[in-house]
Every structure is written in structure tokens, then in C-alpha cells.
Amino acid sequence: MPKTRINCPNCRQPIMADIDQLFDVGQDPTAKQKILSGAFNQAACPNCGYQGMVATPMVYHDPDKELLLTYFPPELSLPVNEQERIIGPLITRVTNSLPQEKRKAYLLQPQAMFTLQTMLERILAAEGITKEMLQAQKERTILLERLFNASDETITDIATKEDALFDNDFFNLLNRLIEASTVQGDQESAKRLNELQKKLLGLTTFGKQVQEQSKDVEAAIQTLQSAGKSLTREKLLEMVIKAPNETQLSVLVSL
């Protein structure tokens, strides 16, 4: 991305920054991840020390989702005709990048987003991720932050009072954080998160179910291993018939 000369949003002194106004997934497969991660249009001013996002008009295009979104920062306070003059060439670039057979009606009706957050939510909605799902993820993250430095007594109290929040998605998030901490070499955080996971598995309804399923998986594996080389179709059929629950039955079938 070429450097662009802009005025610092804080002190107004001229600086150089990486500015991108067009995010076209059809031309750059990483464009969606860039905009969702927030890692774009960042500036650092050597004069006043400002670090942050630069307010700039943007166009987002995803041809597979037939999505064409525009965003014009309200703080720029430009009249509509001036906004169209700036946004128009970006939309033209999108259209010109497509072969004739892929130029569909949605390109004639770009959707104007009034906030950057609304644009991000619209992109995620096209992926099947709703605002409710985002809010639930935010609540799980806040819950994990509360638990991370909590005492054993507090963890027990939270697990008891908010048992319904400890579901499959919560433990998946916890697992991802453990993996991320390990990859980043933060062994202390990985250790604390592992310890937290063990406590919650024994304290929460969902955690206890996971533990029971783990025992069933292990029991099914041991049943097969005990048969060894003498395992026949008849013996396997008998194991399947006598499987005490769905979990052990599934494990026997899959193995």
C-alpha cells in the first residue's frame, strides 16, 4: 500500500500514512480480514505522538455476497455532492475490475453505512453472524476477563450464579485463548487459563457433561483395544449392541 500524505488528526501537521479507501475482496482476498480486524488506515504522528485510525471515505465490495458498501465519516462534514465526487471514482474502479457478465444490479445501488461499526456488522451479517451473536461473544469475553484474575471462591460463585453462560461457545473461546497464549510464548497466561478451564469443567453443568463424554470416549476406546487382534465382526456387533449410551456408540462406529 503506497504512503499517503495527510494532516495528523490531532496536531494537523503533515505526516505520511498507509491509507486505503477501497476494500475489494474480488481483487484482494485479504480485504475482508483487514477491515474486520481494524488493522487499516492507522497513522502515527512523530510530532505529537498521536496513534490511531484516520477518518477517510471507504468503499467495501464482495462480489460473491453481492455486497457494495460505502462509508463517509460524518466528522469530515462535506456536502452530499462532494461526498459523491469522492466515492464515485472508487465505485467506478470496482465496476471496471469486473468482467461484463459479473456486473449485476447491486452495483447500481451501493448501501451507505452511517458508521464504521454498522459497516462491520453488515459485512458479518452477510457471513451469517448476527448482532446478537456478536453481543453474546462480547459477553463471553467480558466473563473470561472477570474470571482470569478471580480467586477460587469468586470463580465458584460466578460459575454457580451464571451457569447458563458456560456453554460450548464459551469453552471454545477459552480453548482458542489457551492456544493463542501458547503460540505467543506467554506460558504464564496459558497456565492460568488451563487451570481456569479445569476448575470450570468441574463446576459448570456443561463442563460436567464434557467430562462425562470424555469418560465415555475413553471407555469405548478401551473396549476396542481390549479386543485387540481377536476383534471380529460378531464381537464388534456385540459391542455396538451393548454400548451404554450414544457417545460410546458413536465412538465405536467412527473408530
Side-chain angles (χ1 to χ4, degrees):
M1 185 189 305
K3 293 283 186 180
T4 303
R5 187 182 181 87
I6 64 168
N7 291 328
C8 170
N10 185 50
C11 69
R12 311 308 301 171
Q13 292 295 312
I15 59 173
M16 301 300 290
D18 293 325
I19 304 297
D20 199 348
Q21 293 182 306
L22 177 58
F23 295 82
D24 191 343
V25 180
Q27 299 299 310
D28 177 11
T30 67
K32 183 183 299 182
Q33 186 55 40
K34 285 178 184 176
I35 200 167
L36 291 176
S37 68
F40 63 95
N41 295 346
Q42 298 289 327
C45 180
N47 303 301
C48 68
Y50 171 85
Q51 289 187 332
M53 186 175 291
V54 177
T56 185
M58 295 192 305
V59 169
Y60 175 84
H61 178 234
D62 186 338
D64 291 337
K65 304 293 183 182
E66 296 191 3
L67 205 59
L68 182 61
L69 310 177
T70 66
Y71 168 64
F72 205 97
E75 57 265 40
L76 297 183
S77 302
L78 292 178
V80 175
N81 62 334
E82 186 66 14
Q83 294 182 25
E84 292 175 348
R85 186 188 68 79
I86 296 173
I87 292 290
L90 298 175
I91 295 177
T92 300
R93 283 173 56 189
V94 169
T95 304
N96 290 342
S97 69
L98 294 169
Q100 195 66 39
E101 66 273 12
K102 291 189 176 182
R103 298 180 185 180
K104 300 181 181 180
Y106 76 94
L107 295 170
L108 302 175
Q109 297 178 312
Q111 302 173 49
M113 304 289 106
F114 297 108
T115 67
L116 187 56
Q117 181 61 31
T118 304
M119 175 179 273
L120 299 180
E121 290 174 357
R122 182 68 185 86
I123 294 170
L124 290 170
E127 300 293 328
I129 302 172
T130 65
K131 291 176 68 173
E132 290 75 20
M133 293 166 68
L134 291 174
Q135 181 60 33
Q137 183 75 348
K138 181 179 179 181
E139 290 174 358
R140 293 186 190 97
T141 303
I142 293 173
L143 178 59
L144 263 173
E145 290 173 352
R146 288 171 58 197
L147 291 165
F148 186 71
N149 292 313
S151 64
D152 288 348
E153 184 179 353
T154 302
I155 291 173
T156 301
D157 186 54
I158 293 174
T160 302
K161 291 181 179 179
E162 304 186 47
D163 184 67
L165 295 178
F166 297 92
D167 55 9
N168 185 59
D169 290 330
F170 175 88
F171 281 97
N172 281 339
L173 175 61
L174 182 52
N175 275 326
R176 290 198 298 271
L177 288 175
I178 292 172
E179 291 171 1
S181 297
T182 303
V183 170
Q184 294 167 7
D186 187 355
Q187 298 302 323
E188 180 61 28
S189 293
K191 180 181 177 182
R192 293 178 70 173
L193 289 169
N194 262 309
E195 291 173 350
L196 176 61
Q197 184 183 59
K198 290 177 181 177
K199 291 174 185 174
L200 293 174
L201 285 172
L203 291 171
T204 62
T205 300
F206 183 83
K208 292 173 182 176
Q209 291 173 352
V210 170
Q211 288 183 320
E212 286 301 315
Q213 289 177 350
S214 296
K215 292 177 182 177
D216 285 331
V217 170
E218 187 176 337
I221 292 173
Q222 288 179 348
T223 299
L224 279 175
Q225 289 177 337
S226 64
K229 294 182 179 180
S230 63
L231 182 64
T232 62
R233 289 186 178 184
E234 290 73 18
K235 286 184 179 180
L236 179 58
L237 178 59
E238 184 180 359
M239 291 178 188
V240 169
I241 293 172
K242 291 183 177 180
N245 54 52
E246 288 293 328
T247 300
Q248 290 200 35
L249 176 59
S250 297
V251 172
L252 289 170
V253 172
S254 64
L255 291 178

